[in-house]
Amino acid sequence: MRVVLEATAVTKRYGTNPPAVDAVSLALAEGDLVALSGPSGSGKTTLVHLLAAFEQPETGAVRWAGLDGNGGLTSTPPTWAQLSFVPQALGLLHELTVADNVGLPARLAMVGEAERDARTAALLEALGLAHLARRRPGQCSLGEQQRVAVARALHRRPLVLLLDEPTAPQDAASTQRIDDVVTTAAFHGTACLVATHDPAMVAVAHRRWHLIDGTLEEVDGG
């Protein structure tokens, strides 16, 4: 399978502290579903931020597919069509409705209204949010807002999907919905990396990476 994200000897430290991410190398291919585990403070969020180009490494490099026209990798930061990210700070626009937040990437890409609305409706239904479509994010619980962010990330069917603790405030039924849509995205070719403590997600992952003290190791398959 084609590699769509690659990190080579990536290191990031803050001030004089030990590295939050220490010489990490990894590769994600189309259809991968990888669970990234590790204790609190192990560097998971920093690593995901580096992979999403939210932060820049001090040394090493991150490259992404989809921008050079030949299917190769480039150091140019990706667009939403190539990479979607659900951070712990969800970044929803509170002046928009839930449905408009979910459909925003497609609207910005000038996707037709009928196609955009159909995809939005399908994602809201899959994540148990259909009844909240016309509400604003501030009228929803934290768990509901998190599922809105997951739906938004999936709207453009990205090459790469990165999620940072996407099921932390969810009940069991909502956790299963998120696990299901992520598994479906991977089945259809999206490379998915999920920083998670969710045993269900770890169980369905194709691979598991464990991060501790900034160092990454592959544990086993899902």
Side-chain angles (χ1 to χ4, degrees):
M1 299 295 285
R2 179 170 67 117
V3 171
V4 292
L5 186 154
E6 181 180 75
T8 306
V10 168
T11 296
K12 179 73 174 183
R13 74 171 72 235
Y14 300 99
T16 59
N17 295 314
V21 171
D22 191 4
V24 166
S25 296
L26 58 84
L28 280 173
E30 292 174 318
D32 265 345
L33 175 50
V34 180
L36 175 64
S37 63
S40 178
S42 62
K44 298 190 301 299
T45 292
T46 297
L47 177 58
V48 175
H49 282 191
L50 292 168
L51 298 179
F54 272 38
E55 298 187 55
Q56 298 300 313
E58 293 179 17
T59 59
V62 180
R63 299 192 300 157
W64 306 270
L67 295 174
D68 69 355
N70 297 312
L73 299 174
T74 173
S75 59
T76 303
T79 69
W80 271 0
Q82 284 94 33
L83 184 147
S84 288
F85 177 34
V86 180
Q88 292 188 38
L90 301 172
L92 299 176
L93 298 180
H94 287 267
E95 66 272 21
L96 299 181
T97 66
V98 163
D100 287 341
N101 267 281
V102 171
L104 182 60
R107 181 183 292 275
L108 294 175
M110 305 298 288
V111 174
E113 182 177 357
E115 178 183 349
R116 182 179 71 239
D117 289 351
R119 176 72 171 155
T120 296
L123 286 165
L124 291 176
E125 181 66 30
L127 286 161
L129 298 166
H131 64 295
L132 303 176
R134 306 321 304 171
R135 292 190 187 179
R136 299 293 195 274
Q139 298 171 308
C140 303
S141 70
L142 178 58
E144 290 164 345
Q145 291 181 45
Q146 190 171 47
R147 300 202 307 277
V148 172
V150 171
R152 181 183 61 185
L154 287 168
H155 203 290
R156 295 293 311 280
R157 298 182 173 92
L159 287 173
V160 179
L161 175 65
L162 305 174
L163 305 104
D164 190 3
E165 299 288 0
T167 61
Q170 306 292 337
D171 60 23
S174 297
T175 292
Q176 187 61 57
R177 289 179 183 273
I178 292 174
D179 292 350
D180 287 347
V181 296
V182 173
T183 302
T184 299
F187 177 80
H188 288 290
T190 295
C192 302
L193 174 64
V194 189
T196 185
H197 295 289
D198 172 16
M201 178 58 70
V202 172
V204 300
H206 307 152
R207 292 185 284 162
R208 179 184 169 202
W209 295 340
H210 189 73
L211 192 67
I212 186 164
D213 294 334
T215 301
L216 188 71
E217 62 178 8
E218 183 154 357
V219 178
D220 51 29

